[in-house]
Amino acid sequence: MNAPATGLTPAAFDLDAIRAQFPILIEKVRGGRLAYLDNAATTQKPESVLAAIDGYYRHQNSNVHRAVHDLAERATTAYEGARDRIARWFTVAREEIVFTRGTTEAINLVAYSFLRPRLKPGDEILLTGMEHHSNIVPWQLVAAEKGAKVVAAPVLDDGALDFDGWTALLNERTKFIAVVHVSNSLGTVNPVEKMIAAAKARGIPVLVDGAQSVAHIAVDFPALGADFFTCSAHKAYGPTGFGCLVAKREHLDAMPPWHGGGDMIRTVSFEESTWNEAPYRFEAGTPDMAGAVGFAAALDWIESVGLDVIAAHEHQLLVEGTALLAEIPGLRMIGTAANKGSVMSFVMTVGHAQDIGTILDQYGVAVRTGHHCTMPLMARFGVPATVRASLAVYNNREDLEQLATALIKASRMLA
Ligand code: PLP
């Protein structure tokens, strides 16, 4: 896991200094200290991201493109500058970055614009059993319309992908492959390089859902070899409602538009309209300029800390947290794959995840409970829900101890 080579030298890691950059971490919740362990749902934002968004609205805001006045030019420069920055992160050309509302919209874009026109009755779309609903439902929608089928590869008992089971499902009917890079429910890191190599050997396009990987694992898109990669800014210290699709230019150039409106056209008449080039063809309407600026600032921030430094710290916390949770009677971890990111998902014999989460909240511990938008995966493990504690770079040992102490209290209350 190496940070992208961008010329910035990561600062020496000082956890207190990192935490001090996140104003919300000193917020009192239920009258006490906040242990924010819901980072897989959304991360908190550092001062530099807040300042970039604030600065955009204070000094640059206008509508983008077709600029004739100074502020419109500033807004366009900020917005398109963000595209350059994000493209650099993934080592791609700026034309290969389509701005979206996030991972969900990016996957829908590929489903409707890339796959739908190519799909025939009997075709198969190969997923895995650990996909987020947003990497299942868009494929189901286009498959249902075209008489095609969604197929899901099995997940092993430890939460790793059954790679042989996945390979066995590859066949001449497989038209598309979509896979989550890091599972939001289990933390499992999938062997995407191996999967892409197997898919390429058969000429099958691959989409990698990077919602949970972008803030933890460096992604060099050309080196990865995927056709599409999707991510959400808000899971990487950036703003909500913004993200992107990274795609091979040859695909984008061949894809028809999917949303109609301003900015995505070249000419419009009542008889016929013609389309703008990619990526603008896929960005109808006034975009989220502040979102783009905020995401670019978030990537700058990650780079200044160092993705390798972040990954090492989170791994250390994962090891310590897993050890603390192992001491709690009746707690069963769901997802123990050898290659695992910073997620601890578990169930407890004393009660339902929802009740445990509610008690944890009373002690200032913010975790997510439920099916985490992975209902098929919950069914695979025979549980309706889990408690999920997920880590970010600003978490510390105290957060883990607060979680463990609150879990012991929850156990006593529910026993
Ligand atoms: N894929 C994964 C693995 C996720 O964890 C999430 C969000 O939790 C999504 C997709 C959807 O992301 P968004 O809601 O930002 O579009």
Side-chain angles (χ1 to χ4, degrees):
M1 294 185 193
N2 296 317
T6 50
L8 276 185
T9 314
F13 189 65
D14 175 348
L15 184 50
D16 289 337
I18 298 271
R19 289 179 64 82
Q21 294 177 55
F22 289 82
I24 206 167
L25 294 181
I26 56 167
E27 199 67 23
K28 293 274 179 260
V29 291
R30 308 284 176 212
R33 179 186 185 275
L34 167 67
Y36 187 76
L37 294 167
D38 195 16
N39 296 289
T42 199
T43 54
Q44 300 301 345
K45 322 302 172 200
E47 294 280 10
S48 63
V49 170
L50 301 176
I53 295 168
D54 184 66
Y56 170 79
Y57 282 120
R58 282 179 197 278
H59 304 294
Q60 298 167 306
N61 182 53
S62 179
N63 212 326
V64 283
H65 304 146
R66 300 172 304 280
V68 292
H69 63 82
D70 187 22
L71 278 186
E73 244 172 57
R74 286 189 213 175
T76 303
T77 303
Y79 181 65
E80 293 302 334
R83 196 187 308 271
D84 288 330
R85 203 289 166 246
I86 296 162
R88 196 152 46 84
W89 182 265
F90 293 107
T91 337
V92 297
R94 63 191 324 282
E95 293 79 12
E96 295 177 302
I97 298 289
V98 182
F99 288 152
T100 65
R101 286 189 294 126
T103 302
T104 303
E105 191 178 59
I107 295 174
N108 276 277
L109 164 56
V110 177
Y112 280 91
S113 182
F114 178 81
L115 189 58
R116 185 168 172 262
R118 294 157 193 250
L119 215 50
K120 306 239 169 354
D123 284 348
E124 293 180 1
I125 303 160
L126 179 56
L127 310 177
T128 78
M130 66 181 93
E131 299 307 321
H132 188 279
H133 295 167
S134 63
N135 203 21
I136 301 175
V137 181
W139 310 118
Q140 282 176 333
L141 288 170
V142 292
E145 189 190 321
K146 296 286 184 161
K149 200 166 105 184
V150 162
V151 179
V155 173
L156 298 171
D157 287 345
D158 66 356
L161 176 71
D162 178 350
F163 185 72
D164 293 338
W166 179 83
T167 310
L169 290 169
L170 280 178
N171 62 62
E172 68 288 349
R173 292 182 302 280
T174 314
K175 281 286 141 39
F176 196 82
I177 290 168
V179 56
V180 69
H181 197 175
V182 177
S183 157
N184 62 306
S185 292
L186 307 174
T188 304
V189 181
N190 276 316
V192 287
E193 291 84 359
K194 247 169 51 172
M195 298 168 85
I196 292 165
K200 267 192 168 170
R202 290 173 167 269
I204 307 167
V206 182
L207 177 142
V208 175
D209 169 359
Q212 296 293 340
S213 66
V214 75
H216 309 274
I217 299 175
V219 171
D220 179 319
F221 183 74
L224 183 65
D227 294 270
F228 303 99
F229 183 90
T230 59
C231 66
S232 302
H234 72 101
K235 293 183 194 289
Y237 311 105
T240 52
F242 192 82
C244 68
L245 168 68
V246 188
K248 285 187 175 159
R249 192 166 180 183
E250 73 215 52
H251 292 326
L252 291 179
D253 285 345
M255 283 159 60
W258 76 309
H259 287 159
D263 240 20
M264 52 72 70
I265 50 85
R266 181 159 289 135
T267 61
V268 176
S269 73
F270 282 111
E271 289 68 41
E272 139 186 272
S273 300
T274 58
W275 316 133
N276 204 342
E277 65 215 13
Y280 305 106
R281 189 190 310 150
F282 308 105
E283 297 178 2
T286 300
D288 181 358
M289 291 82 84
V293 166
F295 191 21
L299 295 180
D300 282 343
W301 187 83
I302 293 175
E303 189 173 271
S304 72
V305 179
L307 206 42
D308 48 354
V309 173
I310 293 175
H313 173 63
E314 289 173 350
H315 183 71
Q316 177 61 27
L317 287 179
L318 178 69
V319 170
E320 290 179 27
T322 305
L324 283 173
L325 296 190
E327 285 168 21
I328 295 172
L331 184 150
R332 178 164 67 95
M333 195 72 86
I334 309 275
T336 53
N339 197 1
K340 189 180 155 173
S342 49
V343 170
M344 293 174 280
S345 222
F346 54 90
V347 290
M348 293 177 77
T349 47
V350 283
H352 191 280
Q354 205 70 28
D355 298 327
I356 293 159
T358 306
I359 297 172
L360 292 186
D361 171 57
Q362 297 305 310
Y363 295 99
V365 180
V367 292
R368 188 125 312 223
T369 60
H371 53 64
H372 317 297
C373 295
T374 53
M375 285 171 99
L377 186 65
M378 296 294 116
R380 154 69 181 85
F381 283 97
V383 295
T386 73
V387 180
R388 182 186 71 186
S390 51
L391 304 162
V393 64
Y394 42 68
N395 286 122
N396 59 13
R397 172 84 194 181
E398 213 177 334
D399 293 331
L400 298 176
E401 285 172 357
Q402 196 170 329
L403 167 68
T405 305
L407 282 173
I408 289 164
K409 287 181 174 149
S411 298
R412 291 197 190 118
M413 286 165 82
L414 292 168

Short mmCIF file of all heavy atoms in Angstrom, two decimals, residues 1 28 257 339:
data_model
loop_
_atom_site.label_atom_id
_atom_site.label_comp_id
_atom_site.label_asym_id
_atom_site.label_seq_id
_atom_site.Cartn_x
_atom_site.Cartn_y
_atom_site.Cartn_z
N MET A 1 0.84 -1.19 0.00
CA MET A 1 0.00 0.00 0.00
C MET A 1 0.88 1.25 0.00
O MET A 1 1.33 1.72 1.04
CB MET A 1 -0.88 0.02 1.26
CG MET A 1 -1.89 -1.09 1.33
SD MET A 1 -2.92 -0.83 2.77
CE MET A 1 -3.73 -2.41 2.85
N LYS A 28 -19.12 17.36 22.22
CA LYS A 28 -19.63 16.47 23.27
C LYS A 28 -20.88 15.78 22.73
O LYS A 28 -21.74 16.42 22.12
CB LYS A 28 -19.98 17.26 24.52
CG LYS A 28 -18.77 17.88 25.20
CD LYS A 28 -18.15 16.89 26.16
CE LYS A 28 -16.92 17.43 26.84
NZ LYS A 28 -15.65 16.96 26.24
N PRO A 257 -25.00 9.47 -23.62
CA PRO A 257 -25.38 10.17 -22.39
C PRO A 257 -26.48 9.41 -21.66
O PRO A 257 -27.17 8.60 -22.27
CB PRO A 257 -25.91 11.52 -22.89
CG PRO A 257 -26.14 11.37 -24.33
CD PRO A 257 -25.36 10.20 -24.83
N ASN A 339 -6.66 -10.70 4.73
CA ASN A 339 -6.45 -9.38 4.14
C ASN A 339 -7.68 -8.52 4.43
O ASN A 339 -8.70 -8.63 3.76
CB ASN A 339 -6.20 -9.50 2.63
CG ASN A 339 -5.58 -8.24 2.05
OD1 ASN A 339 -5.31 -7.27 2.78
ND2 ASN A 339 -5.35 -8.24 0.76
#
